[in-house]
Amino acid sequence: MKNLTVAITDNKLIDGQYGDIRFGPWGLECSDRYSFVTVTDQPRAATRRGNVWQLSTGRVRIAYRTDQTSENTIKLTLNVCALDNIALQDAVIRLVFDKAAIKHGIIANKTFTHTDSDTYRLYPTKQAQLIGRDGTVITVTRDQADGAGRFDPYIYLRDRDDHWIIHARLLPRDPVDLVWLRWANRFFTLSAPDQFVRFLWRITPVKKLLWRLRERMGRHCPEIQAVPLNRLKAGQSLTLEVTCHFQ
């Protein structure tokens, strides 16, 4: 019989194992146009004091919790509350699994093997699955999502380096308030003028092409994409609840 073992510190899953499958660390992400919030990597242009994060365009209070709720389930909850009026790209619960003992992944009834494509297979669905080589089934379900009427829920399945990555995401809903068209690489980031981008965004084929282009196309696509943002008023919140089931 397989046992689920996890190490959880300060409400963050550091690592875990179920049978031959290892996973972690798990965490959260949140971004405005210039800042990137994370608890598992290096934040960018964001500072933290307790649960309050100062981003480049305002403050948010983030509550994040991880609980093993049964012998084979882990529950994660995220709440991002705007303390100032602020435009956000997203709010994310992030789960990472080692690829070695995993045969393939499933999302939106499509099956994918790991090819290190770094493709964000993003769908407005409620679950994604990973199938172990020993028959283990890992199911990540989105149990609840509240986008304050401005954000919609998605899940993506991504194969990168030696890992499978699953994100539960809240992304801006149309009509969006802002669109950031950028070309980024390790040397610089170039942004198109906002007025020009608003013009492009009204052209439906261009909008479909540019929307998160690099994410959708994977590793070999240049870092060019249009990223929408929607405004939250001070006091509004984004909420996600996710459960990871092992069987």
Side-chain angles (χ1 to χ4, degrees), residues 170-190:
L170 286 168
L171 299 177
R173 172 189 298 178
D174 281 330
V176 299
D177 295 324
L178 302 167
V179 181
W180 180 22
L181 178 56
R182 69 188 186 215
W183 174 28
N185 58 44
R186 61 177 178 165
F187 302 110
F188 57 80
T189 298
L190 296 177

Side-chain angles (χ1 to χ4, degrees), residues 37-39 43 46-48 50-55 58-60 62:
V37 170
T38 175
V39 294
T47 57
R48 178 182 185 182
N51 289 335
V52 175
W53 287 82
Q54 177 69 59
L55 283 67
R59 297 169 302 147
V60 295
I62 297 179

Side-chain angles (χ1 to χ4, degrees), residues 151-181:
F151 291 75
D152 288 327
Y154 294 81
I155 291 181
Y156 83 50
L157 178 68
R158 178 181 175 196
D159 55 327
R160 179 179 182 180
D161 299 332
D162 293 328
H163 301 97
W164 285 98
I165 303 169
I166 295 175
H167 275 196
R169 309 175 90 181
L170 286 168
L171 299 177
R173 172 189 298 178
D174 281 330
V176 299
D177 295 324
L178 302 167
V179 181
W180 180 22
L181 178 56

Side-chain angles (χ1 to χ4, degrees), residues 200-231:
L200 290 179
W201 204 246
R202 292 194 291 267
I203 304 172
T204 300
V206 176
K207 173 182 174 180
K208 289 182 177 180
L209 172 66
L210 293 177
W211 184 74
R212 300 188 174 273
L213 175 64
R214 161 58 178 87
E215 295 182 1
R216 292 186 291 108
M217 299 303 293
R219 182 179 301 282
H220 300 296
C221 179
E223 288 278 353
I224 300 172
Q225 60 182 357
V227 179
L229 298 92
N230 271 349
R231 296 185 181 93

